[in-house]
Every structure is written in C-alpha cells, then in structure tokens.
Amino acid sequence: MASNLDTLVTVFGGSGFLGRSVVRALCKRDYRVRVAVRRPELAGYLQPLGRVGQVHNVQANLRYPASVEAALRDSHVVINLVGVLTEGGAQTFDAVQAKGAETVAKAAAAAGAQLVHVSAIGADAQSPSRYARAKAAGEAAVLAAVPAATIFRPSVMFGPEDQFTNRFAALARMSPVLPLIGGETKMQPVYVGDVASAIADAADGKAKAGATYELGGPEVLSMREIIEAILEITDRKRMLVPLSFGLARFQANFLQFAPGAFKLTPDQVTLLERDNVVSEAAKAAGLTLEGLGITPDSLEAIAPQYLWRFRAAGQFQRMSV
C-alpha cells in the first residue's frame, strides 16, 4: 500500500487560524505538505507540526496566477483556505475570495489535482453582504473549473487563535459594558479542529466529490448566549447593551478604522442580521460533520482550555470581578 508520504498536498492560506490546524491534521496522516502563503518567511512556526522535511513553505499570492501555478506544481491535492474577514488595500473580498478562488481552481484543473475549497455558511449571491456575495462567487468559479471539487462551508469557528471568542474575552477584560449586536441571531459555533479533520478526510477521499458540506458544532446558540458563555468561562460579570443594527452600522463606519478587538465594519454588521447555521437540506443529505463520521466538540468543552488566560487570576483561581 502506498504511503501518504507519496502524496503532495498544497495548502493555500496554511499559515492562518484554520490553516495551522489543517497542516497539523495532514501531518498526522503522513502527507507531504506544501504551504503556499504570501510571506513564507513568517510561517516558520508550521515546521514543528510535522517531521523534518514534511512541511515546506513557498511564496504565492492569489492575485498573481503565475505564483499560484508554480506553488501547486506536481500537487496531488490542493486545498484553498484563503479568505479575509476585512478588506485592506488590494486584499478585497472580490480579489481574494472570488477571483482568487477562481485562480486556484483553474490552476488545479490544469494540474489535474483534487481540489478542496473552504467557503462559509451564508455564502449567497443575493446577500446584502459583500463578504457573502464574494464567497458565493468563489464557490461558483470553483465548481465551473473543477466540477468534482469538494466545498466546505463552516459556521463561525472557535479555537485558541480565533478572532471570535478571544475578541469578546479581550473586550470583557477592558470594558465593564459590552455592546450586543444581533443578540438573537443564531449561530452554530464549530471547533476549528473538527473543520480541519473534515478537510483532511476530504484529502483522504472520504468526502463526496462535487458536494458542498455545511459544518457546524453540536449546538445552535444565539449571539447573546455565546457572549454569556464566554463571560462565564472567563469569570467576568459585564453588562450587555443591545444595539440596533442601524445604530451598530453607524458606529461601524468609524470603528472599521479601529485597532484590534474594537474593529467593526459595516459589512460585519450586515452579516449579523442573518442566522449562521447548518441547513436542513445539508443535514438530510448527510453533508455535515456527522455525515463524515465526526462528532463535533462544543464551545463549552473546548473554550475553557484557552480562555482561562482572560480570567482575573488566570487558570489557578476563579473569582468574580
């Protein structure tokens, strides 16, 4: 039997939040992993995830087709994880998530490689959100170039390096009051490790070709419930002040220029107006984590393992503040 070490997997965006978990999962299954990123010299932390020589970083930018073609040369499997939560300079939603996805798909088709593309629940060509429209355009371009591609749409992901639970925990450490936008909007938080396992399963050939999977955690929670859970885990008592979408969008016109955890864009507010959960159609078709044989981990089970650092006394003592 051939070893997975004979299989080269190129991961675009492998240095990001999801990327490092995907690289780790692939290494555990003995694949050779080529990580294609804009700044490979800054992705050295990926090397220890595999054995010596198993992970190799190369330079590529989705806005430059020649670099993409060079990065996936001789690849058996291509995984595209590249996405942006906010736009900046030339890194627009359309350039990265639509045209960039098309560039990767066309190069994968030319190379005859298997393609796995990561999108997002909420991808919709008719969405008022530019982020969601770009995701939908990317999916369409991928399937046009590689009809057998497997697409994964995760709900909001959480994990040690996320920009979701860590963001709210950081805000709670700095402010006695937290704004609540879309408090009743439903989400299905999914652990990044489970999403990575699904992607690795696709590399193994266990996912359906040409199918679109929707990946969510075991619980559907409102935004209010999620923030309350984060406050409980970090042992913080904070006042939640509901904001209307109109007021939140007005504030986002200014906060889009803010640093760190305070940053909020009008498009992010628009995304919060719609639920972000696995559809009944995906469940019925078995196009879910459970359909792949993966039992998803809950926010309650995983988040305390890394959010303890936001407690007033760290991991050694729980105390209300």
Side-chain angles (χ1 to χ4, degrees), residues 294-310:
I294 298 172
T295 301
D297 289 299
S298 68
L299 181 69
E300 182 181 20
I302 299 295
Q305 299 176 31
Y306 61 90
L307 288 183
W308 59 261
R309 65 192 182 93
F310 291 100

Side-chain angles (χ1 to χ4, degrees), residues 22-318:
V22 170
V23 171
R24 182 183 295 109
L26 293 171
C27 286
K28 287 182 177 179
R29 302 187 191 201
D30 291 333
Y31 287 103
R32 288 188 294 130
V33 182
R34 179 187 290 159
V35 181
V37 292
R38 287 192 296 159
R39 299 287 302 276
E41 71 277 10
L42 300 180
Y45 54 84
L46 296 173
Q47 305 300 319
L49 299 180
R51 295 192 294 275
V52 175
Q54 189 176 5
V55 179
H56 178 59
N57 300 334
V58 299
Q59 198 281 332
N61 188 322
L62 268 56
R63 294 186 289 110
Y64 298 94
S67 73
V68 172
E69 293 166 6
L72 62 72
R73 188 175 295 128
D74 299 323
S75 299
H76 302 91
V77 182
V78 175
I79 300 172
N80 182 22
L81 309 176
V82 181
V84 291
L85 295 174
T86 59
E87 297 176 301
Q91 298 295 103
T92 65
F93 294 141
D94 184 61
V96 175
Q97 294 169 176
K99 294 178 181 178
E102 181 179 28
T103 297
V104 173
K106 287 183 175 180
Q114 175 189 348
L115 178 61
V116 180
H117 176 74
V118 175
S119 182
I121 287 181
D124 181 359
Q126 305 304 317
S127 174
S129 162
R130 290 183 296 108
Y131 171 91
R133 292 199 303 272
K135 284 290 189 181
E139 290 184 5
V142 164
L143 292 177
V146 186
T150 299
I151 294 175
F152 287 112
R153 291 178 169 182
S155 183
V156 59
M157 290 182 284
F158 65 89
E161 303 91 8
D162 70 35
Q163 296 182 43
F164 179 55
T165 58
N166 283 286
R167 178 181 185 178
F168 286 110
L171 285 172
R173 184 165 60 181
M174 293 183 284
S175 173
V177 177
L178 295 181
L180 180 62
I181 305 169
E184 301 310 312
T185 300
K186 298 294 190 296
M187 295 188 177
Q188 201 164 342
V190 59
Y191 175 47
V192 66
D194 292 332
V195 176
S197 293
I199 294 169
D201 280 350
D204 287 344
K206 297 178 182 178
K208 296 179 182 178
T212 298
Y213 286 77
E214 296 185 9
L215 310 181
E219 297 177 303
V220 174
L221 303 170
S222 69
M223 179 60 81
R224 176 184 289 275
E225 290 172 328
I226 292 171
I227 295 177
E228 288 176 343
I230 293 170
L231 292 175
E232 175 65 24
I233 291 169
T234 58
D235 202 25
R236 301 276 182 177
K237 293 182 179 180
R238 297 293 183 257
M239 179 183 298
L240 300 182
V241 179
L243 293 183
S244 68
F245 288 115
L247 179 57
R249 191 171 289 106
F250 173 77
Q251 293 184 342
N253 287 322
F254 305 97
L255 291 175
Q256 63 183 316
F257 305 109
F262 292 100
K263 190 179 186 68
L264 178 69
T265 69
D267 199 73
Q268 288 172 336
V269 175
T270 299
L271 284 171
L272 286 170
E273 294 187 58
R274 293 191 177 184
D275 292 343
N276 194 278
V277 300
V278 174
S279 68
E280 293 301 320
K283 294 178 185 178
L287 299 177
T288 60
L289 284 172
E290 292 84 353
L292 288 168
I294 298 172
T295 301
D297 289 299
S298 68
L299 181 69
E300 182 181 20
I302 299 295
Q305 299 176 31
Y306 61 90
L307 288 183
W308 59 261
R309 65 192 182 93
F310 291 100
R311 297 174 187 163
Q315 63 179 320
F316 302 107
Q317 181 181 350
R318 293 182 59 87

